[in-house]
Amino acid sequence: MNWTAVIDRAIKDRKGPVRIDSTRIVLLLAAMSSVLVLTTCQSGPTPLTAEVPLHLENYLDAATIVGSEVPQDIPEAVVWNFSEPQPDWRPIVPLPSPRNSVKPATVARTEEGLRIKLTKANDGAWGSSGRLTLGGGIFINLPDWRREDWSEILVRARTSDKVRGMDVGFRMREKLGTEGQNYPFKFETTLPMIRDGSVQTYTVRADWSLDYSEQWEGPWRHLGIRFFSGEPVSVDLLSVSVIPKEAVYSGAKTGVMTESRNQSYRRSLYAHTPVTLEYPVRVPAAGRLDFGLGVLRSDTPVKFRIAVEPDGQSAETLFEESYADRESWAQRSVDLSKFAGQAVTLRFEAEADRPGTVALWAAPTLSGPRTTSKPNVIFYIIDGAGAAYMSAYGYNRRTTPNLERLATEGTLFEYAYSNSSWTRPSTPSFLTSLHHSAMGGMRNKRTIPPTNVPTISEHLHQAGYQTALFTSNPNAATMSNLDRGVDVLREKSVEPTSYSSRELHKDYWDWRRDYPGEPYWVHFQTTDVHAPHNPPAPFAGLYVSPERRKLLDEWEKKLRATNRPRSPWGDAFEKAGVDRIEYYAARRDLYTEGMAHQDHQIGRLVERLKAEGEWENTLLIVAADHGADAGSDDSEIAVMDELPPRHWRPNFRPGITRIPMMFIWPGRIQAGKRLAGPASMIDMVPTVLDLLDLPLPEVMQGRSLAPFLLGDTDWEPKPVIFDQFDVDPTSGKLNGQIEVIDGRWGASLEIIQDPDEDERPPEERRP
């Protein structure tokens, strides 16, 4: 059985909004939700041990599970079938704009659904690039739903025209967007469309947005579907479905799923009340159990209990709490030190007045004092950090004094490169040691690494590490499905973005308080140097005076008003009367203010690690996902004088991919050492696993840098490879670039399967 077939059958039977009995889709939802379905068998008397933190959600096969029956009254899916009249859906009407007057798309009924036609009357409905961009769609008002109650939106559609893609919007706005876009929705959930005339089902998550500006509190009142193209096209829209979240949990009695609350994602063990889970464990010295509590509904409190039953003794309840706040996690800890050294049964219980209510235990972890020689690992990625703007790499401003000092305590790679030019393709690659093309290329904004390709977090979680990810860039987390193997993900909206490190460091120390077990892996990905640039005092004004900043803001408004691409080779600057050299110089100086703030925060982090006694047991890696150019809001601050105007931009240009890379591990990695040869972020996974003496991946494209870091004099660098590919949604062919650089020379090959479909304006194409 598949979901589309279920919808089709329901549509044939009823008109208007269709509500589907959720018991008919249990098998399907089990397949859709990536739920780990585990057996409920007793593994025998051998207790689980916690020499390293014991992730109990990983050991459901060792637990005895009583109860946890899936309920029959699961909320129903809602389906709108457009082969029948749906008067509540109406065309999206663009907002009035001083720039242009945009008409709503033409919407007409067919036997199968709605035909949405885009013409030149719809030009300017999306974007501000200055080229032909047509857009239009439909929307509906919703009855004060909560997005957290829903899991997915399914859109069934068909086209054979050159439609660029489809967007789903969640909230209407009443005034023009910051870039002057005149659509009442801010669309960020973009998917490409298959253009072979076949009916396709497109899936979008309903409980989070791809852009932090779409996050909000309060009810979900609107749902919009829009299509966009560079030429007149038509799309047949057949149906829209919304799947309730509780239905996702109906696929199994128990399992593991990542659930979010207030931008905090937890790897959670779930079950249905009433339930009892019993684990045989041996309690370590100073043992403690750390966990979060979560629920899906506020109308039915769940009573959680934790009990311990030593061999031959009565069970003792150590924790009991009723919880009903579906907005937040409740972080709790139970002291097990009185049972140190004993083999006990650790019992998790949950009950509620409504049978089948979902109970969540977030990252339940049993730990004791450090007993391993393996280090903690702090993997610190400065999003958009260009090495050329760091004094640690010779920049003539003292932007990174703390990184300069850290370089004397560890090893610095002078010519390190990211493997792609921006976050989305780069981050999954360096977390898996597979180039972007090897994982299939970029298909859409929700392209994720294949599930059979483990990330470094998964490797280390399997080895017993506690794992966390703290980022203010969703491209490095949920948008790339990089919460895999992560106990706690804090994907935090930080405004302005330049304050990112300060906020994420606080979240890190909160996590260490809640989960103090060792060893741990933490991945930071901060946006202090990423545009827009608004560093806090005293770094604001360090290189850009208030008067100069005001002038830059005025220039920005003039450039936006031209409705033209802002690039060194375009004519937007001449049209706006803006000096491009002064403009880029000001943006460069704002960027370096953010770099100075980021360096300051890293220095504070290291100081506290030393004060807390964790520094000697910590491997610190500082690097970046790409260079300064891609992080600078289309201002090529790093490459002003490297290549002539109108020249095609290979990725190996220093401003795009040259990044910092340094490793510090007190007493283990050589101090003050530097490598002048090339190194790549694709080498990160094998390097970390090699340093930790853990098995390397069966498939990888990087090589370990550990021999060099540990003093092997025979180790030699090798050329660095870059690749970055998009996938044509119809043919499945790759379009993009593959490049190589050996430290002195570089070569770049651009692959375009069908040059006639290259949608870039002529001035952005290679001569």
Side-chain angles (χ1 to χ4, degrees), residues 218 251 281 311 339 352 393 396 437 466 514 532 592 626 644 659 680 700 708 727 737:
V281 302
D311 286 347
F339 303 101
Y393 282 83
N396 60 4
S437 60
Q466 295 196 120
D514 295 338
T592 52
H626 54 73
I659 60 168
S680 173
M700 61 182 184
F708 173 76
V727 181
Q737 295 144 253

Side-chain angles (χ1 to χ4, degrees), residues 665-730:
W665 187 5
R668 295 297 301 275
I669 288 177
Q670 292 191 8
K673 190 175 182 181
R674 301 174 79 99
L675 175 69
S680 173
M681 286 295 288
I682 205 75
D683 301 328
M684 200 56 69
V685 171
T687 300
V688 171
L689 295 178
D690 203 3
L691 288 171
L692 302 184
D693 197 26
L694 294 174
L696 298 183
E698 293 183 7
V699 178
M700 61 182 184
Q701 292 179 296
R703 61 191 293 245
S704 175
L705 307 175
F708 173 76
L709 294 169
L710 299 177
D712 184 348
T713 57
D714 294 328
W715 187 90
E716 294 184 358
K718 291 185 177 181
V720 168
I721 294 174
F722 312 84
D723 84 345
Q724 192 166 300
F725 288 94
D726 295 322
V727 181
D728 182 273
T730 301

Side-chain angles (χ1 to χ4, degrees), residues 178-193:
T178 56
E179 293 292 328
Q181 294 98 339
N182 53 355
Y183 247 80
F185 283 95
K186 187 178 189 305
F187 293 95
E188 292 293 341
T189 314
T190 301
L191 299 175
M193 298 195 69

Side-chain angles (χ1 to χ4, degrees), residues 204-220:
V204 175
R205 280 190 61 171
D207 57 345
W208 57 266
S209 299
L210 299 188
D211 183 10
Y212 287 138
S213 63
E214 282 287 285
Q215 306 292 344
W216 75 89
E217 298 179 357
W220 177 17

